[in-house]
Amino acid sequence: MEVIAVPGLPEIRPGDDLAALVADRIDLRPDDVVVVASTVVSKAAGRTASLSDFEPGERAREIADRITALTGEAKDPRFAQAVIEESEALVLDAPFLLAKTRFGHVTVNAGIDRSNVPEADLLLLPEDPGASAQALHEALDVPVIVSDTSGRPFRHGQRGVAVGWAGMPASRDWRGEADRDGRELGVTVQAVVDELAAASNLVAGEGGGGTPVTVIRDWSFGDHAGSDELFRDREADLVRQALEDWTYEDDS
Ligand code: GDP
Ligand code: MN
Ligand code: MN
């Protein structure tokens, strides 16, 4: 498998036709997968915002005060308000905001970015990354994944994850297939869209590289059942339930 950065993409502006910009710069093959950083999907959709757009409510002010007291770093209540407005629920509110977006992805600050955003304070995640992926898939005629750099519990560092996808299942379902000893696999559902998003992110980079779109070439889903379940429901997520019940106390 190869991961190829699409060269020469410009700074993306509201209203830009991302599919056309990509198609003009690379000859896609029928079995390619295109991975697009959510940053440029958001820019094309005009999902920038100013802190002054957000009028902090009581909850945002209370959370910002608590984060400031816990961390010793001033938290802007307008930023807390932006995260609340971009979220369906807060999994944690202090010492940092861990939010569930309306489309199901749980991430710090609801994925609101402050880097690679000229001329604005904030860049919000696409409103519906699955719908964005679908539109790009229809225009490009290959599977499309919309990715974001995201942290993860239990480990330092961030990596790429899929926030939307179209034209392929989210996961390979290995259940019912055999291991090398013929033992039937009972639980393995491989989140291939996350694995491809991580591979893409490795090539796209994080800083000023200017390569928000990659093409995954010579990879194949193979002969497996597919699943589109990626985001866990609260009811099935014991870790999330435990976090929501947890209160941070600074005992340093
Ligand atoms: P995120 O992971 O989706 O939040 O995206 P990042 O901000 O980490 O950017 C991923 C890659 O896209 C990096 O190589 C950036 O330099 C690049 N990038 C971000 N915005 C633009 C843009 O408007 N145009 C181009 N050409 N590259 C961009
Ligand atoms: Mn991001
Ligand atoms: Mn990134």
Side-chain angles (χ1 to χ4, degrees):
M1 152 183 149
E2 262 187 290
V3 185
I4 306 159
V6 174
L9 286 166
E11 178 65 29
I12 302 301
R13 318 212 44 97
D16 278 353
D17 182 345
L18 271 181
L21 289 169
V22 170
D24 283 350
R25 285 167 177 78
I26 194 159
D27 290 323
L28 291 172
R29 301 183 190 166
D31 59 353
D32 287 342
V33 177
V34 169
V35 185
V36 184
S38 54
T39 290
V40 292
V41 174
S42 292
K43 284 178 177 176
R47 292 273 291 160
T48 49
S50 306
L51 280 170
S52 58
D53 297 341
F54 297 95
E55 177 63 39
E58 194 177 323
R59 188 176 184 207
R61 277 183 273 120
E62 187 272 323
I63 289 171
D65 284 349
R66 204 143 35 87
I67 295 178
T68 302
L70 284 169
T71 65
E73 267 175 54
K75 189 78 180 174
D76 192 322
R78 298 171 301 174
F79 186 76
Q81 182 66 32
V83 174
I84 289 170
E85 290 184 24
E86 280 301 297
S87 305
E88 182 190 285
L90 296 182
V91 178
L92 275 181
D93 54 15
F96 62 92
L97 285 151
L98 184 63
K100 183 185 180 214
T101 64
R102 276 180 219 94
F103 59 89
H105 175 46
V106 174
T107 193
V108 173
N109 294 334
I112 298 176
D113 256 344
R114 307 184 76 166
S115 57
N116 281 323
V117 202
E119 299 162 20
D121 296 330
L122 308 175
L123 187 66
L124 314 176
L125 280 180
E127 214 161 285
D128 181 350
S132 305
Q134 180 65 32
L136 289 164
H137 164 56
E138 283 166 19
L140 293 170
D141 223 23
V142 297
V144 173
I145 296 169
V146 175
S147 69
D148 193 26
T149 302
S150 179
R152 58 265 171 93
F154 313 118
R155 304 170 88 95
H156 287 292
Q158 291 90 42
R159 54 71 177 98
V161 295
V163 292
W165 63 95
M168 65 180 289
S171 301
R172 273 173 179 162
D173 190 344
W174 293 80
R175 289 174 298 183
E177 297 188 38
D179 73 4
R180 287 160 59 80
D181 299 317
R183 195 189 307 266
E184 188 176 308
L185 297 170
V187 294
T188 308
V189 178
Q190 183 182 22
V192 291
V193 288
D194 280 338
E195 296 188 312
L196 295 177
S200 168
N201 212 52
L202 197 57
V203 171
E206 301 294 345
T211 45
V213 181
T214 73
V215 174
I216 310 274
R217 183 154 288 171
D218 292 331
W219 174 80
S220 117
F221 189 87
D223 182 21
H224 305 273
S227 159
D228 267 323
E229 288 189 349
L230 192 67
F231 306 120
R232 263 189 213 278
D233 293 338
R234 185 182 189 281
E235 293 63 42
D237 194 336
L238 303 180
V239 175
R240 184 175 157 203
Q241 290 175 33
L243 277 175
E244 286 175 353
D245 293 341
W246 182 71
T247 307
Y248 183 86
E249 282 166 30
D250 187 359
D251 54 12
S252 59

